[in-house]
Amino acid sequence: MNAPPRHVAKYTTGYQRLFPSARILLVLTSTAHFLLQSTRQRVADLEPALAILRDLQPAEHVLLHAFSNGGAAATWLLARTHRARTGRPLPTAKAIFDSAPGTQGYAASLAAFSVALPRNPLLWGLGSGLLRVVLGVWFCYMYVSWGEKIVDTVRRDLNDAELLPVEAVRLYVYSAADELIQWQDVEAHARDAEAKGYKVQMVKYLGSPHAAHLLHDEKRYWSAVTGLWDAEYLSSPGSIVVAW
């Protein structure tokens, strides 16, 4: 969410190098998608992606790569809408969850949304103040309405075989130094996925910040990606590869 173009380009360029004949479907998320848009508006924004996924040919295989809670939420909405329209799970051969999924808390949400604020000190201060108020109202509403937090819904549904096929082997890449997504939350989700029949590998970095593991060790990162794509099954259940 709110990823700068130069950061996104690191991944798209890497995929173009690894899979030069593959199509890349890029879905970007922002603060506005979460705080200002209705679900109907977000689905409307995803219509081009939904059309491509609907019309995939049998010989085409999808490697899903979702970043942070923003990417996890976009994946969830794509899968839920695709399922409602076609009766089938999202057509995914392999899946990567980078720095996701986490849980939802005020401090982590404030830090995540603050990434998009202007760098000018005055504008940053004004934007931060407004963001704190908006998030405060949002969290109060959720508690008062007794509704399930959206991030909790996303966490649960990403392990639903009706939305993401259980045959799709998945890779979790995360870090003990991530200040936005706790490593314990990622590992808990991976364990739950294994319990529900998904084949899982976890690559745990020790020093990389949020969604920046590629920048920390590019060779190791792409090695994990190609290993996922090439391997029928990655590892024994519960194994964690430690990176640094």
Side-chain angles (χ1 to χ4, degrees), residues 93-108:
K94 305 286 175 68
I96 302 171
F97 294 106
D98 184 317
S99 307
T103 55
Q104 187 167 329
Y106 178 83

Side-chain angles (χ1 to χ4, degrees), residues 8 16 20 30 35 44 47 60 77 86 101 110-111 139 152 168 172 177 197 199 208 211-212 216 222 226 240:
V8 174
Q16 288 171 334
S30 68
L35 299 184
E47 287 294 351
E60 294 182 290
L77 189 55
T86 68
L110 178 63
F139 273 85
D152 292 337
Y172 292 84
K199 294 182 174 66
S208 53
H216 192 75
W222 287 120
T226 55
I240 301 175

Side-chain angles (χ1 to χ4, degrees), residues 104-188:
Q104 187 167 329
Y106 178 83
S109 298
L110 178 63
F113 291 130
S114 295
V115 173
L117 294 177
R119 294 189 177 184
N120 178 282
L122 177 61
L123 295 178
W124 190 93
L126 292 172
S128 178
L130 178 61
L131 182 59
R132 290 171 187 270
V133 172
V134 172
L135 283 176
V137 172
W138 187 35
F139 273 85
C140 287
Y141 170 76
M142 285 191 297
Y143 284 117
V144 170
S145 65
W146 295 97
E148 184 178 45
K149 301 183 184 72
I150 181 62
V151 173
D152 292 337
T153 302
V154 169
R155 280 180 64 86
R156 183 193 66 234
D157 288 354
L158 289 179
N159 283 342
D160 184 345
E162 291 192 349
L163 297 183
L164 291 177
V166 74
E167 299 82 13
V169 180
R170 56 177 61 177
L171 168 67
Y172 292 84
V173 186
Y174 57 103
S175 175
D178 193 332
E179 296 182 354
L180 302 186
I181 302 294
Q182 298 298 307
W183 63 267
Q184 297 94 331
D185 294 332
V186 177
E187 289 188 1

Side-chain angles (χ1 to χ4, degrees), residues 68-112:
S68 194
N69 279 345
T75 299
W76 166 78
L77 189 55
L78 279 169
R80 193 183 73 163
T81 307
H82 182 82
R83 174 76 186 185
R85 294 179 179 181
T86 68
R88 300 188 301 272
L90 200 67
T92 307
K94 305 286 175 68
I96 302 171
F97 294 106
D98 184 317
S99 307
T103 55
Q104 187 167 329
Y106 178 83
S109 298
L110 178 63

Side-chain angles (χ1 to χ4, degrees), residues 45-61:
D45 286 346
L46 291 172
E47 287 294 351
L50 287 163
I52 291 172
L53 293 168
R54 181 197 62 216
D55 297 334
L56 284 175
Q57 300 303 307
E60 294 182 290
H61 303 286

